[in-house]
Amino acid sequence: MKITLLVTAFNSLTQVAYSYFKEKKYNIDVVFAINEKQMIDEVFAFSPDFILCPFLKKFVPKEIYENIDTYIVHPGVLGDRGAYAIDNAIRLDKKEWGVTILKANGMFDSGDVVITCNFRMRSAYKSSIYRNEVITTFYSMLDDFLKNRQSKKFILQPDLPMHQTLSQKERAIDWQKDTTQEILKKIYMSDSYPGVKDEILGVECYLYGAWREEKLRGEPKEILAKRDGAVCLGTVDGAIWITHLKEPNRFKLPATYVLKERLQGVKEQRLPLIFDKSYKTFYEISCDIREEVAYLYFNFHNGAFSSDKCMKLKYAFEYIKEQVKIVVLMGGEDFFSNGIHLNILEDSKKNGEDGWSNINAMNDLVKSILFADEVITVASLSKNAGAGGVFLALACDYVVACNEVVLNPHYKTLGLSGSEYHSYLLPKRTGKQMAEKILEECLPMNASQAREIGLVDKLFMLEGYEQSLKNFCLDLLFDEDAYEDFIWKKGDYLQENKMMIEGCRKKEIEIMYPEFWEKESVFHTLRYEFVYKICPQATPKRLKGVECA
């Protein structure tokens, strides 16, 4: 079967569809919706059996949907129509929301419905709902979508008016009236796009990443404290942390990077390295210890690891491993890890120096985990991972994953050769030939595909994932002799191969040096296009006509 994915961008939802169809051995072609003629030419050149649009902001040209069955993925319940669907669900306090796949026609989200499925809403920001509930629901629908499409088992989309298109007027915060909960809701429904427009200390900006603060108090909009890049502001009934800001025509950065010297005199309100979650506040690193197993969480925004985040996580890991027999790297709420922090590097006036610092800090973190010979380490990939974040996981003794996770174990799309000991870790699991193929093709893979080639050791279903992970860890502890034998062999292997392993890092860094430091490095251009979300002028060649024999 030949399938075209017609999309605005190759986002997380698109990658779920792509890897699903690839696993089914279908021929897949991706078409970026750049302009009408280009869409028509690319679609008809491939001549697919049908078209799926997981993430599309443009209208499908009439010439396409009248000749080829075309289906739209809408992040809303049956009858919902229009943009900003999840925004409205949060604004209206919907307890249940959903995903609907419908046939494209001449009207916005009005075609016959192929399949729809609902999920329970939780209190979270929009992009988190999208990356979790929307994606997992969409993934669960794909088998039945194919069956319903084949049998033409469609239902009519209810003839309801389009929901409200929300402007900044509806999103705006009234700091003198809005409660903490109302402010949370406004930021939640606007994150990650378009953000809530405001002015902080004289800086016009958009607000992102809101956390309730339980202890600090002050006047509405008064800056009370700062922590790990975030700022705390007073509200009429409490306080709230804002982690990120974006100035107009710029890109998202930690709040302190935007406000800079304006924060002079504002106290750094620190937490312990590993927060015990004893009250509501903004934190990034936490740990649960149960039955000699430490579950270490690191909830870094968008999975981006700046130099300081790498160092803090390294210190947290080294501290916690002294107390247990197994350390499980859990990742964050939306991502496991996506490697180095590109936005901070783009903002830096010393791109080369800060990039070099970031990749070496990431390497030091990976080294700490890789050479931890006194404990068993487990990477829990319940969320997506990309670039250096995948190799952070591979540094562990075992890698387990949720079956719906998508991995991107490559660097070249950003003009980097990569480090994080990947030249040791990847071929060790997949073999040299497969490792080279993965790095060269730069394509996403789901957890099942990763399991087939040896990147993942165990797959667990989303339902019951935490219990499956716990049972897996307890099994490693069950036979004490087997545990001690594993630790003994691990220590011997690392001691015997330390020079070889460190040699891999040394060669990686030598190759990367000019990528960071030379002004003409393509990394600087590709990083700029990534953080500013520059629309591509053509569909990437690596996504064209992928045949899965």
Side-chain angles (χ1 to χ4, degrees), residues 229-273:
V231 292
C232 185
L233 287 81
T235 66
V236 295
D237 63 344
I240 193 167
W241 289 91
I242 305 296
T243 67
H244 286 72
L245 302 174
K246 182 173 81 71
E247 296 175 88
N249 303 314
R250 287 276 287 165
F251 48 89
K252 196 186 299 183
L253 284 166
T256 57
Y257 280 70
V258 175
L259 299 175
K260 298 177 183 173
E261 68 277 355
R262 292 175 177 84
L263 293 172
Q264 189 173 358
V266 175
K267 184 180 178 182
E268 181 81 13
Q269 218 268 345
R270 299 185 183 279
L271 289 175
L273 179 61

mmCIF file of all heavy atoms in Angstrom, residues 229-273:
data_model
loop_
_atom_site.group_PDB
_atom_site.id
_atom_site.type_symbol
_atom_site.label_atom_id
_atom_site.label_comp_id
_atom_site.label_asym_id
_atom_site.label_seq_id
_atom_site.Cartn_x
_atom_site.Cartn_y
_atom_site.Cartn_z
ATOM 1 N N GLY A 229 16.253 29.284 36.065
ATOM 2 C CA GLY A 229 15.788 29.929 34.844
ATOM 3 C C GLY A 229 14.369 30.449 34.899
ATOM 4 O O GLY A 229 13.941 31.194 34.015
ATOM 5 N N ALA A 230 13.605 30.075 35.930
ATOM 6 C CA ALA A 230 12.205 30.497 36.064
ATOM 7 C C ALA A 230 12.100 31.693 37.011
ATOM 8 O O ALA A 230 13.005 31.956 37.803
ATOM 9 C CB ALA A 230 11.352 29.346 36.591
ATOM 10 N N VAL A 231 10.978 32.408 36.911
ATOM 11 C CA VAL A 231 10.706 33.509 37.848
ATOM 12 C C VAL A 231 9.360 33.266 38.520
ATOM 13 O O VAL A 231 8.446 32.695 37.918
ATOM 14 C CB VAL A 231 10.703 34.884 37.137
ATOM 15 C CG1 VAL A 231 12.098 35.242 36.664
ATOM 16 C CG2 VAL A 231 9.714 34.925 35.986
ATOM 17 N N CYS A 232 9.253 33.714 39.767
ATOM 18 C CA CYS A 232 8.024 33.558 40.532
ATOM 19 C C CYS A 232 7.349 34.911 40.660
ATOM 20 O O CYS A 232 7.981 35.890 41.070
ATOM 21 C CB CYS A 232 8.331 32.977 41.912
ATOM 22 S SG CYS A 232 6.854 32.605 42.893
ATOM 23 N N LEU A 233 6.060 34.970 40.311
ATOM 24 C CA LEU A 233 5.288 36.205 40.387
ATOM 25 C C LEU A 233 4.140 36.053 41.369
ATOM 26 O O LEU A 233 3.494 35.005 41.429
ATOM 27 C CB LEU A 233 4.721 36.580 39.009
ATOM 28 C CG LEU A 233 5.701 37.116 37.952
ATOM 29 C CD1 LEU A 233 6.446 35.969 37.286
ATOM 30 C CD2 LEU A 233 4.959 37.910 36.882
ATOM 31 N N GLY A 234 3.858 37.128 42.104
ATOM 32 C CA GLY A 234 2.722 37.124 43.005
ATOM 33 C C GLY A 234 1.408 37.189 42.248
ATOM 34 O O GLY A 234 1.337 37.710 41.129
ATOM 35 N N THR A 235 0.356 36.655 42.847
ATOM 36 C CA THR A 235 -1.003 36.735 42.298
ATOM 37 C C THR A 235 -1.927 37.243 43.417
ATOM 38 O O THR A 235 -1.502 37.405 44.559
ATOM 39 C CB THR A 235 -1.492 35.358 41.806
ATOM 40 O OG1 THR A 235 -1.624 34.478 42.938
ATOM 41 C CG2 THR A 235 -0.523 34.736 40.811
ATOM 42 N N VAL A 236 -3.181 37.466 43.083
ATOM 43 C CA VAL A 236 -4.118 37.989 44.084
ATOM 44 C C VAL A 236 -4.350 37.006 45.227
ATOM 45 O O VAL A 236 -4.748 37.414 46.330
ATOM 46 C CB VAL A 236 -5.470 38.386 43.450
ATOM 47 C CG1 VAL A 236 -5.297 39.543 42.477
ATOM 48 C CG2 VAL A 236 -6.128 37.188 42.772
ATOM 49 N N ASP A 237 -4.102 35.718 44.985
ATOM 50 C CA ASP A 237 -4.346 34.729 46.043
ATOM 51 C C ASP A 237 -3.187 33.759 46.232
ATOM 52 O O ASP A 237 -3.364 32.670 46.775
ATOM 53 C CB ASP A 237 -5.637 33.952 45.755
ATOM 54 C CG ASP A 237 -5.555 33.137 44.477
ATOM 55 O OD1 ASP A 237 -4.639 33.382 43.657
ATOM 56 O OD2 ASP A 237 -6.405 32.247 44.278
ATOM 57 N N GLY A 238 -1.997 34.132 45.765
ATOM 58 C CA GLY A 238 -0.868 33.227 45.930
ATOM 59 C C GLY A 238 0.315 33.649 45.081
ATOM 60 O O GLY A 238 0.696 34.811 45.059
ATOM 61 N N ALA A 239 0.875 32.683 44.360
ATOM 62 C CA ALA A 239 2.018 32.965 43.499
ATOM 63 C C ALA A 239 2.130 31.890 42.432
ATOM 64 O O ALA A 239 1.574 30.790 42.574
ATOM 65 C CB ALA A 239 3.306 33.045 44.320
ATOM 66 N N ILE A 240 2.878 32.221 41.368
ATOM 67 C CA ILE A 240 2.995 31.316 40.238
ATOM 68 C C ILE A 240 4.385 31.445 39.624
ATOM 69 O O ILE A 240 4.959 32.539 39.583
ATOM 70 C CB ILE A 240 1.888 31.634 39.192
ATOM 71 C CG1 ILE A 240 1.766 30.533 38.150
ATOM 72 C CG2 ILE A 240 2.132 32.982 38.505
ATOM 73 C CD1 ILE A 240 0.514 30.662 37.308
ATOM 74 N N TRP A 241 4.948 30.323 39.221
ATOM 75 C CA TRP A 241 6.236 30.321 38.519
ATOM 76 C C TRP A 241 5.994 30.354 37.024
ATOM 77 O O TRP A 241 5.122 29.650 36.516
ATOM 78 C CB TRP A 241 7.040 29.076 38.878
ATOM 79 C CG TRP A 241 7.585 29.066 40.267
ATOM 80 C CD1 TRP A 241 6.984 28.554 41.383
ATOM 81 C CD2 TRP A 241 8.844 29.594 40.695
ATOM 82 N NE1 TRP A 241 7.786 28.723 42.485
ATOM 83 C CE2 TRP A 241 8.943 29.364 42.095
ATOM 84 C CE3 TRP A 241 9.902 30.234 40.048
ATOM 85 C CZ2 TRP A 241 10.049 29.745 42.834
ATOM 86 C CZ3 TRP A 241 11.016 30.622 40.787
ATOM 87 C CH2 TRP A 241 11.083 30.384 42.166
ATOM 88 N N ILE A 242 6.782 31.148 36.313
ATOM 89 C CA ILE A 242 6.791 31.167 34.851
ATOM 90 C C ILE A 242 8.181 30.726 34.410
ATOM 91 O O ILE A 242 9.178 31.385 34.734
ATOM 92 C CB ILE A 242 6.492 32.584 34.288
ATOM 93 C CG1 ILE A 242 5.169 33.120 34.850
ATOM 94 C CG2 ILE A 242 6.482 32.557 32.764
ATOM 95 C CD1 ILE A 242 3.945 32.344 34.454
ATOM 96 N N THR A 243 8.263 29.623 33.696
ATOM 97 C CA THR A 243 9.585 29.073 33.366
ATOM 98 C C THR A 243 10.186 29.670 32.107
ATOM 99 O O THR A 243 11.398 29.805 32.000
ATOM 100 C CB THR A 243 9.520 27.540 33.196
ATOM 101 O OG1 THR A 243 8.735 27.209 32.042
ATOM 102 C CG2 THR A 243 8.925 26.878 34.435
ATOM 103 N N HIS A 244 9.346 30.041 31.116
ATOM 104 C CA HIS A 244 9.880 30.494 29.835
ATOM 105 C C HIS A 244 9.137 31.709 29.304
ATOM 106 O O HIS A 244 7.926 31.872 29.536
ATOM 107 C CB HIS A 244 9.813 29.358 28.794
ATOM 108 C CG HIS A 244 10.845 28.297 29.017
ATOM 109 N ND1 HIS A 244 10.763 27.410 30.071
ATOM 110 C CD2 HIS A 244 11.988 27.984 28.353
ATOM 111 C CE1 HIS A 244 11.820 26.602 30.043
ATOM 112 N NE2 HIS A 244 12.580 26.943 29.008
ATOM 113 N N LEU A 245 9.869 32.541 28.587
ATOM 114 C CA LEU A 245 9.313 33.719 27.934
ATOM 115 C C LEU A 245 9.784 33.762 26.481
ATOM 116 O O LEU A 245 10.826 33.179 26.141
ATOM 117 C CB LEU A 245 9.782 34.999 28.635
ATOM 118 C CG LEU A 245 9.471 35.154 30.127
ATOM 119 C CD1 LEU A 245 10.148 36.409 30.683
ATOM 120 C CD2 LEU A 245 7.972 35.197 30.382
ATOM 121 N N LYS A 246 9.020 34.443 25.657
ATOM 122 C CA LYS A 246 9.414 34.635 24.255
ATOM 123 C C LYS A 246 9.098 36.071 23.853
ATOM 124 O O LYS A 246 7.944 36.487 23.905
ATOM 125 C CB LYS A 246 8.689 33.663 23.320
ATOM 126 C CG LYS A 246 9.109 33.798 21.853
ATOM 127 C CD LYS A 246 8.490 32.708 20.987
ATOM 128 C CE LYS A 246 7.069 33.034 20.595
ATOM 129 N NZ LYS A 246 7.014 34.140 19.605
ATOM 130 N N GLU A 247 10.128 36.812 23.465
ATOM 131 C CA GLU A 247 9.903 38.153 22.949
ATOM 132 C C GLU A 247 9.363 38.067 21.523
ATOM 133 O O GLU A 247 9.624 37.086 20.818
ATOM 134 C CB GLU A 247 11.210 38.945 22.973
ATOM 135 C CG GLU A 247 11.756 39.191 24.376
ATOM 136 C CD GLU A 247 13.101 39.861 24.371
ATOM 137 O OE1 GLU A 247 13.126 41.107 24.340
ATOM 138 O OE2 GLU A 247 14.128 39.146 24.372
ATOM 139 N N PRO A 248 8.597 39.062 21.067
ATOM 140 C CA PRO A 248 8.071 39.038 19.693
ATOM 141 C C PRO A 248 9.194 38.850 18.677
ATOM 142 O O PRO A 248 10.271 39.436 18.799
ATOM 143 C CB PRO A 248 7.418 40.419 19.556
ATOM 144 C CG PRO A 248 7.042 40.806 20.950
ATOM 145 C CD PRO A 248 8.132 40.247 21.825
ATOM 146 N N ASN A 249 8.929 37.974 17.700
ATOM 147 C CA ASN A 249 9.886 37.685 16.620
ATOM 148 C C ASN A 249 11.183 37.042 17.120
ATOM 149 O O ASN A 249 12.211 37.085 16.433
ATOM 150 C CB ASN A 249 10.215 38.954 15.827
ATOM 151 C CG ASN A 249 8.977 39.609 15.256
ATOM 152 O OD1 ASN A 249 8.120 38.936 14.676
ATOM 153 N ND2 ASN A 249 8.860 40.917 15.426
ATOM 154 N N ARG A 250 11.120 36.463 18.312
ATOM 155 C CA ARG A 250 12.275 35.728 18.838
ATOM 156 C C ARG A 250 11.857 34.279 19.085
ATOM 157 O O ARG A 250 10.941 33.775 18.456
ATOM 158 C CB ARG A 250 12.762 36.402 20.136
ATOM 159 C CG ARG A 250 13.472 37.722 19.924
ATOM 160 C CD ARG A 250 14.939 37.519 19.598
ATOM 161 N NE ARG A 250 15.671 37.095 20.802
ATOM 162 C CZ ARG A 250 16.903 36.567 20.763
ATOM 163 N NH1 ARG A 250 17.516 36.398 19.622
ATOM 164 N NH2 ARG A 250 17.517 36.218 21.890
ATOM 165 N N PHE A 251 12.521 33.626 19.984
ATOM 166 C CA PHE A 251 12.211 32.236 20.291
ATOM 167 C C PHE A 251 12.175 32.055 21.797
ATOM 168 O O PHE A 251 12.637 32.911 22.562
ATOM 169 C CB PHE A 251 13.231 31.291 19.655
ATOM 170 C CG PHE A 251 14.664 31.698 19.887
ATOM 171 C CD1 PHE A 251 15.353 31.271 21.004
ATOM 172 C CD2 PHE A 251 15.308 32.534 18.984
ATOM 173 C CE1 PHE A 251 16.657 31.660 21.230
ATOM 174 C CE2 PHE A 251 16.625 32.930 19.197
ATOM 175 C CZ PHE A 251 17.312 32.494 20.321
ATOM 176 N N LYS A 252 11.627 30.945 22.219
ATOM 177 C CA LYS A 252 11.399 30.693 23.646
ATOM 178 C C LYS A 252 12.730 30.457 24.381
ATOM 179 O O LYS A 252 13.592 29.712 23.908
ATOM 180 C CB LYS A 252 10.497 29.468 23.793
ATOM 181 C CG LYS A 252 9.865 29.297 25.153
ATOM 182 C CD LYS A 252 9.116 27.994 25.251
ATOM 183 C CE LYS A 252 7.992 27.872 24.254
ATOM 184 N NZ LYS A 252 7.243 26.600 24.431
ATOM 185 N N LEU A 253 12.841 31.105 25.557
ATOM 186 C CA LEU A 253 14.029 30.957 26.392
ATOM 187 C C LEU A 253 13.616 30.888 27.863
ATOM 188 O O LEU A 253 12.536 31.356 28.226
ATOM 189 C CB LEU A 253 14.966 32.155 26.207
ATOM 190 C CG LEU A 253 15.791 32.216 24.922
ATOM 191 C CD1 LEU A 253 16.384 33.604 24.747
ATOM 192 C CD2 LEU A 253 16.898 31.162 24.942
ATOM 193 N N PRO A 254 14.472 30.334 28.733
ATOM 194 C CA PRO A 254 14.199 30.442 30.163
ATOM 195 C C PRO A 254 13.976 31.905 30.542
ATOM 196 O O PRO A 254 14.649 32.801 30.010
ATOM 197 C CB PRO A 254 15.476 29.877 30.805
ATOM 198 C CG PRO A 254 16.024 28.932 29.777
ATOM 199 C CD PRO A 254 15.705 29.557 28.453
ATOM 200 N N ALA A 255 13.065 32.159 31.455
ATOM 201 C CA ALA A 255 12.652 33.531 31.772
ATOM 202 C C ALA A 255 13.816 34.423 32.174
ATOM 203 O O ALA A 255 13.876 35.595 31.786
ATOM 204 C CB ALA A 255 11.601 33.494 32.879
ATOM 205 N N THR A 256 14.755 33.884 32.937
ATOM 206 C CA THR A 256 15.874 34.715 33.394
ATOM 207 C C THR A 256 16.786 35.132 32.239
ATOM 208 O O THR A 256 17.473 36.147 32.326
ATOM 209 C CB THR A 256 16.698 33.989 34.465
ATOM 210 O OG1 THR A 256 17.160 32.730 33.938
ATOM 211 C CG2 THR A 256 15.867 33.736 35.713
ATOM 212 N N TYR A 257 16.810 34.344 31.159
ATOM 213 C CA TYR A 257 17.613 34.694 29.980
ATOM 214 C C TYR A 257 17.006 35.883 29.242
ATOM 215 O O TYR A 257 17.718 36.628 28.573
ATOM 216 C CB TYR A 257 17.714 33.502 29.031
ATOM 217 C CG TYR A 257 18.734 32.466 29.433
ATOM 218 C CD1 TYR A 257 18.529 31.665 30.554
ATOM 219 C CD2 TYR A 257 19.889 32.265 28.701
ATOM 220 C CE1 TYR A 257 19.459 30.705 30.940
ATOM 221 C CE2 TYR A 257 20.828 31.311 29.064
ATOM 222 C CZ TYR A 257 20.601 30.532 30.188
ATOM 223 O OH TYR A 257 21.536 29.588 30.567
ATOM 224 N N VAL A 258 15.704 36.047 29.356
ATOM 225 C CA VAL A 258 15.023 37.165 28.697
ATOM 226 C C VAL A 258 15.085 38.421 29.568
ATOM 227 O O VAL A 258 15.355 39.524 29.081
ATOM 228 C CB VAL A 258 13.560 36.799 28.382
ATOM 229 C CG1 VAL A 258 12.810 38.001 27.801
ATOM 230 C CG2 VAL A 258 13.505 35.632 27.400
ATOM 231 N N LEU A 259 14.865 38.258 30.857
ATOM 232 C CA LEU A 259 14.802 39.419 31.751
ATOM 233 C C LEU A 259 16.187 39.916 32.174
ATOM 234 O O LEU A 259 16.349 41.082 32.531
ATOM 235 C CB LEU A 259 13.967 39.064 32.978
ATOM 236 C CG LEU A 259 12.513 38.681 32.682
ATOM 237 C CD1 LEU A 259 11.807 38.238 33.945
ATOM 238 C CD2 LEU A 259 11.758 39.834 32.022
ATOM 239 N N LYS A 260 17.158 39.046 32.205
ATOM 240 C CA LYS A 260 18.558 39.372 32.442
ATOM 241 C C LYS A 260 18.769 40.341 33.611
ATOM 242 O O LYS A 260 18.357 40.089 34.735
ATOM 243 C CB LYS A 260 19.176 39.903 31.144
ATOM 244 C CG LYS A 260 19.167 38.871 30.010
ATOM 245 C CD LYS A 260 19.701 39.432 28.721
ATOM 246 C CE LYS A 260 19.613 38.392 27.617
ATOM 247 N NZ LYS A 260 19.973 38.945 26.307
ATOM 248 N N GLU A 261 19.442 41.490 33.314
ATOM 249 C CA GLU A 261 19.833 42.418 34.386
ATOM 250 C C GLU A 261 18.648 43.051 35.099
ATOM 251 O O GLU A 261 18.780 43.611 36.198
ATOM 252 C CB GLU A 261 20.753 43.514 33.837
ATOM 253 C CG GLU A 261 20.106 44.498 32.876
ATOM 254 C CD GLU A 261 20.037 43.968 31.449
ATOM 255 O OE1 GLU A 261 20.576 42.864 31.199
ATOM 256 O OE2 GLU A 261 19.440 44.646 30.606
ATOM 257 N N ARG A 262 17.462 42.959 34.508
ATOM 258 C CA ARG A 262 16.268 43.503 35.173
ATOM 259 C C ARG A 262 15.949 42.745 36.464
ATOM 260 O O ARG A 262 15.171 43.225 37.293
ATOM 261 C CB ARG A 262 15.067 43.456 34.225
ATOM 262 C CG ARG A 262 15.189 44.408 33.030
ATOM 263 C CD ARG A 262 14.017 44.213 32.077
ATOM 264 N NE ARG A 262 14.061 45.143 30.958
ATOM 265 C CZ ARG A 262 14.772 44.945 29.853
ATOM 266 N NH1 ARG A 262 15.509 43.839 29.740
ATOM 267 N NH2 ARG A 262 14.756 45.837 28.884
ATOM 268 N N LEU A 263 16.527 41.574 36.616
ATOM 269 C CA LEU A 263 16.274 40.756 37.812
ATOM 270 C C LEU A 263 17.291 41.028 38.930
ATOM 271 O O LEU A 263 17.315 40.300 39.927
ATOM 272 C CB LEU A 263 16.312 39.270 37.443
ATOM 273 C CG LEU A 263 15.182 38.785 36.535
ATOM 274 C CD1 LEU A 263 15.438 37.355 36.088
ATOM 275 C CD2 LEU A 263 13.840 38.888 37.249
ATOM 276 N N GLN A 264 18.098 42.058 38.748
ATOM 277 C CA GLN A 264 19.090 42.377 39.767
ATOM 278 C C GLN A 264 18.404 42.605 41.114
ATOM 279 O O GLN A 264 17.442 43.361 41.225
ATOM 280 C CB GLN A 264 19.866 43.632 39.359
ATOM 281 C CG GLN A 264 21.055 43.924 40.255
ATOM 282 C CD GLN A 264 21.889 45.069 39.711
ATOM 283 O OE1 GLN A 264 21.605 45.612 38.653
ATOM 284 N NE2 GLN A 264 22.935 45.441 40.438
ATOM 285 N N GLY A 265 18.887 41.925 42.126
ATOM 286 C CA GLY A 265 18.308 42.037 43.466
ATOM 287 C C GLY A 265 17.260 40.987 43.778
ATOM 288 O O GLY A 265 16.851 40.846 44.936
ATOM 289 N N VAL A 266 16.820 40.249 42.753
ATOM 290 C CA VAL A 266 15.843 39.181 42.987
ATOM 291 C C VAL A 266 16.574 37.940 43.502
ATOM 292 O O VAL A 266 17.543 37.478 42.893
ATOM 293 C CB VAL A 266 15.059 38.842 41.700
ATOM 294 C CG1 VAL A 266 14.132 37.654 41.940
ATOM 295 C CG2 VAL A 266 14.266 40.056 41.229
ATOM 296 N N LYS A 267 16.113 37.414 44.605
ATOM 297 C CA LYS A 267 16.789 36.296 45.265
ATOM 298 C C LYS A 267 16.595 34.975 44.510
ATOM 299 O O LYS A 267 15.516 34.677 44.002
ATOM 300 C CB LYS A 267 16.254 36.151 46.688
ATOM 301 C CG LYS A 267 16.962 35.075 47.509
ATOM 302 C CD LYS A 267 16.368 34.984 48.916
ATOM 303 C CE LYS A 267 17.043 33.891 49.723
ATOM 304 N NZ LYS A 267 16.448 33.763 51.076
ATOM 305 N N GLU A 268 17.668 34.193 44.434
ATOM 306 C CA GLU A 268 17.608 32.827 43.901
ATOM 307 C C GLU A 268 17.051 31.932 45.002
ATOM 308 O O GLU A 268 17.697 31.724 46.039
ATOM 309 C CB GLU A 268 18.991 32.347 43.471
ATOM 310 C CG GLU A 268 19.017 30.944 42.880
ATOM 311 C CD GLU A 268 18.597 30.878 41.420
ATOM 312 O OE1 GLU A 268 18.513 31.928 40.754
ATOM 313 O OE2 GLU A 268 18.344 29.755 40.937
ATOM 314 N N GLN A 269 15.831 31.428 44.807
ATOM 315 C CA GLN A 269 15.159 30.606 45.819
ATOM 316 C C GLN A 269 15.437 29.139 45.517
ATOM 317 O O GLN A 269 14.752 28.503 44.720
ATOM 318 C CB GLN A 269 13.658 30.902 45.782
ATOM 319 C CG GLN A 269 13.004 30.922 47.141
ATOM 320 C CD GLN A 269 12.444 29.550 47.523
ATOM 321 O OE1 GLN A 269 12.292 28.670 46.697
ATOM 322 N NE2 GLN A 269 12.154 29.386 48.794
ATOM 323 N N ARG A 270 16.485 28.617 46.122
ATOM 324 C CA ARG A 270 16.963 27.285 45.767
ATOM 325 C C ARG A 270 16.151 26.173 46.440
ATOM 326 O O ARG A 270 15.571 26.365 47.501
ATOM 327 C CB ARG A 270 18.436 27.134 46.137
ATOM 328 C CG ARG A 270 19.347 28.134 45.418
ATOM 329 C CD ARG A 270 20.811 27.871 45.704
ATOM 330 N NE ARG A 270 21.659 28.875 45.082
ATOM 331 C CZ ARG A 270 22.034 28.864 43.814
ATOM 332 N NH1 ARG A 270 21.629 27.884 43.026
ATOM 333 N NH2 ARG A 270 22.814 29.817 43.336
ATOM 334 N N LEU A 271 16.201 25.009 45.799
ATOM 335 C CA LEU A 271 15.663 23.775 46.366
ATOM 336 C C LEU A 271 16.809 22.803 46.561
ATOM 337 O O LEU A 271 17.876 22.967 45.961
ATOM 338 C CB LEU A 271 14.639 23.155 45.408
ATOM 339 C CG LEU A 271 13.290 23.843 45.235
ATOM 340 C CD1 LEU A 271 12.487 23.124 44.158
ATOM 341 C CD2 LEU A 271 12.508 23.880 46.536
ATOM 342 N N PRO A 272 16.621 21.769 47.366
ATOM 343 C CA PRO A 272 17.624 20.702 47.406
ATOM 344 C C PRO A 272 17.839 20.127 46.005
ATOM 345 O O PRO A 272 16.969 20.224 45.139
ATOM 346 C CB PRO A 272 16.998 19.664 48.341
ATOM 347 C CG PRO A 272 16.023 20.435 49.168
ATOM 348 C CD PRO A 272 15.498 21.518 48.288
ATOM 349 N N LEU A 273 19.012 19.543 45.785
ATOM 350 C CA LEU A 273 19.337 18.983 44.476
ATOM 351 C C LEU A 273 18.238 18.050 43.981
ATOM 352 O O LEU A 273 17.850 18.078 42.813
ATOM 353 C CB LEU A 273 20.671 18.224 44.557
ATOM 354 C CG LEU A 273 21.158 17.551 43.270
ATOM 355 C CD1 LEU A 273 21.391 18.584 42.174
ATOM 356 C CD2 LEU A 273 22.432 16.752 43.555
#
